Amino acid sequence: MTAVGSVDVEAELIAWLDTVLDVRVLTDLPANLGDVLPVVQVQRVGGYDDGFRLDRALVDIDVYAATREAASALMAQTRSLLLTELRGVATDTAVFTVARTIAAPAWRPYENPALRRFGASFEIYCHPVS
């Protein structure tokens, strides 16, 4: 049996989002962020497990775009996909069962005034493929 916590939630979410969004999806922001907009950043920020199979990952997602409207729209699209399409997705290593919003999308300040950032936090339930 595969060990609890064996799923790399960041990598799996990035791979899935990359297939359903027409933007760059990553964990680490590139040095030339302003040149590659729009961008979706996925980072696991914690979570817990049931000690058996189920991983409950807390995931922070930030989107970066040139305008506030574009960032807000991309965040709304990303959130909608997570909440309506992720359930039941199976990859070679993971099965996603639930996605919930923990902190609703909101504008987040960013030090570069040429960029706009919206972010939200989600609880993503997944387990290894049996």
Side-chain angles (χ1 to χ4, degrees), residues 50-108:
D50 68 356
F52 178 63
R53 287 181 50 84
L54 189 63
D55 190 3
R56 297 173 177 125
L58 298 179
V59 177
D60 205 42
I61 296 183
D62 286 310
V63 301
Y64 298 83
T67 67
R68 186 180 179 107
E69 294 79 17
S72 177
L74 180 54
M75 175 50 76
Q77 180 186 15
T78 303
R79 181 185 189 195
S80 177
L81 287 166
L82 289 171
L83 298 180
T84 64
E85 302 295 325
L86 185 61
R87 179 185 297 242
V89 167
T91 69
D92 289 341
T93 59
V95 177
F96 291 95
T97 59
V98 177
R100 298 185 317 158
T101 304
I102 301 301
W107 176 81
R108 294 179 177 175

Side-chain angles (χ1 to χ4, degrees), residues 5-14 27 44 55 93-94 96 126:
S6 62
V7 174
D8 183 341
V9 174
E10 284 181 353
E12 294 295 332
L13 280 176
I14 288 169
T27 53
R44 182 172 184 156
D55 190 3
T93 59
F96 291 95
C126 68

Side-chain angles (χ1 to χ4, degrees), residues 44-49 55-59 122-124:
R44 182 172 184 156
V45 295
Y48 54 101
D49 59 66
D55 190 3
R56 297 173 177 125
L58 298 179
V59 177
F122 301 89
E123 183 176 41
I124 308 289

Side-chain angles (χ1 to χ4, degrees), residues 8 10-11 14 25-30 39-44:
D8 183 341
E10 284 181 353
I14 288 169
V25 184
L26 42 72
T27 53
D28 297 315
L29 296 176
V39 167
V40 175
Q41 182 183 34
V42 177
Q43 294 182 309
R44 182 172 184 156

